[in-house]
Amino acid sequence: MLYILTDPAARHLLGAAWADEARRMVAQFRATHDLLAGDPAFLDLLERARAGCSEIAEWWPEHDVRDAGGGRKVMSHPERGLLRFEYATFQSSDDPALKLILYTPA
């Protein structure tokens, strides 16, 4: 999450799709908020994201919550050009914090 929200290279990699991807990540992060709101590591991660991504000040109060799900991503790789992927997210029944995301070239 921090890479997408705070690293300028991520903005370049995702290009025009960056804002949508970043908002989706913030909404997924918010989904865990109730589970981990008092956890110091969670609070530290949230503060680091806020410090590195001014847009969170606008997005966080919207209280958008999304599950991981699946979808498509387009990335602009500096050497390989546009890369397209389909992805699916699987969540462990035993531990809601454990997720597996699979990317397949599209």
Side-chain angles (χ1 to χ4, degrees):
M1 179 179 94
L2 283 179
Y3 171 71
I4 296 295
L5 295 175
T6 65
D7 193 319
R11 288 181 187 243
H12 183 268
L13 180 67
L14 294 169
W18 178 84
D20 290 337
E21 280 298 308
R23 285 183 81 111
R24 184 183 61 78
M25 291 199 108
V26 169
Q28 289 174 347
F29 187 68
R30 184 173 261 300
T32 62
H33 184 260
D34 287 341
L35 297 173
L36 303 171
D39 185 307
F42 177 85
L43 296 173
D44 178 62
L45 185 59
L46 178 57
E47 287 310 310
R48 290 170 58 198
R50 282 181 171 155
C53 179
S54 61
E55 291 87 349
I56 290 180
E58 175 188 337
W59 299 336
W60 191 258
E62 293 174 357
H63 298 277
D64 187 14
V65 175
R66 300 181 203 176
D67 64 1
R72 292 182 175 199
K73 285 191 184 183
V74 177
M75 298 179 194
S76 177
H77 191 275
E79 296 174 9
R80 295 186 173 198
L82 283 180
L83 302 174
R84 291 175 176 81
F85 297 94
E86 291 187 8
Y87 68 93
T89 303
F90 303 92
Q91 186 169 355
S92 169
S93 298
D94 296 334
D95 183 353
L98 183 61
K99 296 179 177 102
L100 172 67
I101 304 172
L102 299 176
Y103 288 85
T104 305

